[in-house]
């Protein structure tokens, strides 16, 4: 019986600040792709695949077989490259089982087709909390870490954990919790679960928005997060975190790509069905995220639900 050799390769997209990963058992020559990105230019509606193609070229060069395409959550800041990766490299597209809850929430915001069912069937596999799966012979445990969204997952393998949007680098902090279904208190508890891992566990984040003083980075440790994270370092209580997170979230604009991203990512990276003219469209729901309807122009709400 051979001993697996783990390798992690990161791919940073500087347009969206997203970090995608390849996790591989190099002995078994099996791999997983985590949070791949498609390139979408919102001003022109242009969709391209250069970011995912970098991953495809890398995996092919190594001669590895892709078993899994893992999403940490339904991203609101980039369109998933999962379908593009699977088309070229194979693999099962997987996400946490709570994606059903997120699908139900956003089906009421977007005008999804009648055939769209909020049952997670768009994905090849739905992970339950604590479920163990394998990349080659590497055991990986799926953890439910909600708060940013109800369906966020972390993937733990050995001394490494891929945390999605729960944590950022220590000098950037933590993810927002004001999207539909988000909850700052729940996010705090999810982060504390991650920070109970051994101190030398490497934390691989899904995003970096670096200050001008440093280059982009995406790996820290549990010890570094506990000592230095500006939002959740040791000594910051849940109440303090929730107050900070709610105050900060109230000042944040919606992500540039939230409207196209959610419509695609809830379908496991598939585009909405084409119209009769053969063209695919991304819809923009007017004032769907407006909290105070009194601020809407007269007449806008005559057809509101």
């Amino acid at each position: 019986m051979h001993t697996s050799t783990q390798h992690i390769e990161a791919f940073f997209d500087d347009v969206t600040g997203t970090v995608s990963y390849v996790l591989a058992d190099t002995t078994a020559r099996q791999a997983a792709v985590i949070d791949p990105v498609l390139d979408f230019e919102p001003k022109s509606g242009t969709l391209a695949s250069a970011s995912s193609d970098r991953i495809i070229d890398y995996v092919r060069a190594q001669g590895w077989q892709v078993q899994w395409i893992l999403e940490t959550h339904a991203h609101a800041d980039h369109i998933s490259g999962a379908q593009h990766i699977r088309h070229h490299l194979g693999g099962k597209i997987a996400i946490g089982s709570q994606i059903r809850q997120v699908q139900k929430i956003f089906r009421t915001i977007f005008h999804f087709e009648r055939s769209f069912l909020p049952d997670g069937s768009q994905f090849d596999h739905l992970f339950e909390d604590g479920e163990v799966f394998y990349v080659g012979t590497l055991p990986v445990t799926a953890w439910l870490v909600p708060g940013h969204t109800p369906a966020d997952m972390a993937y733990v393998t050995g001394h490494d954990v891929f945390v999605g949007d729960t944590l950022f680098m220590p000098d950037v902090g933590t993810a927002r919790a004001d999207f539909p279904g988000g909850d700052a208190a729940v996010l705090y508890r999810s982060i504390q679960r991650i920070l109970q891992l051994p101190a030398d566990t490497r934390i691989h984040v899904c995003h970096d928005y670096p200050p001008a003083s440093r280059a982009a980075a995406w790996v820290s440790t549990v010890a570094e997060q506990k000592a230095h994270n500006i939002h959740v370092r040791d000594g910051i209580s849940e109440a303090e975190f929730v107050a900070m997170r709610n105050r900060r979230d109230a000042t944040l604009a919606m992500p540039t790509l939230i409207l196209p991203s959610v419509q695609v990512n809830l379908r496991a990276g598939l585009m909405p069905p084409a119209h009769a003219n053969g063209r695919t469209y991304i819809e923009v729901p007017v004032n769907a995220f407006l909290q105070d309807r009194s601020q809407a122009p007269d007449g806008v709400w005559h057809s509101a639900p």
Side-chain angles (χ1 to χ4, degrees):
M1 182 175 180
H2 68 257
T3 301
S4 60
T5 304
Q6 177 179 294
H7 178 77
I8 296 170
E9 193 75 20
F11 298 82
F12 183 66
D13 172 38
D14 57 6
V15 175
T16 63
T18 305
V19 191
S20 305
Y21 297 95
V22 173
L23 167 67
D25 177 345
T26 60
T27 305
R29 309 191 73 76
Q30 304 287 325
V33 176
I34 304 172
D35 292 331
V37 174
L38 282 184
D39 310 301
F40 184 71
E41 204 294 297
K43 293 179 181 178
S44 65
T46 302
L47 189 66
S49 61
S51 293
S52 284
D53 289 341
R54 290 169 57 205
I55 295 174
I56 292 168
D57 291 344
Y58 174 79
V59 171
R60 283 177 171 166
Q62 307 307 312
W64 296 337
Q65 178 184 4
V66 170
Q67 291 178 287
W68 294 98
I69 302 161
L70 306 174
E71 299 282 13
T72 53
H73 62 295
H75 306 272
D77 43 30
H78 70 265
I79 291 178
S80 170
Q83 294 289 337
H84 186 69
I85 296 287
R86 186 174 68 171
H87 177 76
H88 289 280
L89 298 177
K92 292 182 178 181
I93 301 173
I95 200 167
S97 63
Q98 294 301 311
I99 193 64
R100 302 183 186 105
Q101 183 179 345
V102 181
Q103 289 175 326
K104 289 176 182 176
I105 291 170
F106 278 97
R107 189 176 64 163
T108 65
I109 294 175
F110 294 104
H111 185 235
F112 282 178
E113 64 278 6
R114 288 187 176 182
S115 61
F116 179 89
L117 299 177
D119 60 3
S121 61
Q122 300 80 4
F123 297 83
D124 299 314
H125 186 81
L126 300 180
F127 290 119
E128 298 297 338
D129 184 33
E131 183 174 345
V132 177
F133 62 102
Y134 289 85
V135 177
T137 59
L138 297 172
V140 185
T141 304
W143 277 9
L144 177 64
V145 287
H148 174 59
T149 79
D152 280 60
M153 302 298 290
Y155 299 108
V156 185
T157 178
H159 287 279
D160 294 277
V161 56
F162 301 89
V163 297
D165 282 13
T166 53
L167 282 163
F168 298 143
M169 295 300 288
D171 60 348
V172 178
T174 58
R176 64 196 297 167
D178 61 330
F179 293 153
D183 187 301
V186 172
L187 177 61
Y188 181 88
R189 295 167 204 156
S190 293
I191 291 170
Q192 295 308 312
R193 181 183 186 185
I194 293 169
L195 296 182
Q196 293 305 307
L197 289 165
D200 63 346
T201 301
R202 291 178 293 269
I203 291 177
H204 303 265
V205 302
C206 184
H207 290 283
D208 190 36
Y209 310 104
S213 59
R214 67 166 175 84
W218 40 82
V219 182
S220 61
T221 65
V222 166
E224 290 166 351
Q225 292 283 354
K226 292 175 75 171
H228 303 297
N229 188 287
I230 60 174
H231 295 164
V232 289
R233 64 185 177 273
D234 283 348
I236 295 179
S237 69
E238 179 177 319
E240 289 171 323
F241 174 81
V242 169
M244 176 282 302
R245 192 69 266 171
N246 290 341
R247 185 170 59 249
R248 178 172 171 77
D249 289 350
T251 70
L252 299 178
M254 282 289 154
T256 300
L257 297 181
I258 185 172
L259 297 179
S261 295
V262 171
Q263 292 178 68
V264 174
N265 296 345
L266 289 178
R267 296 181 170 90
L270 283 173
M271 292 292 122
H275 285 227
N277 63 357
R279 190 174 297 280
T280 297
Y281 294 87
I282 297 292
E283 297 188 342
V284 178
V286 175
N287 282 339
F289 295 99
L290 188 66
Q291 298 299 314
D292 183 359
R293 294 194 173 191
S294 67
Q295 297 180 19
D298 290 342
V300 166
W301 296 112
H302 71 277
S303 60

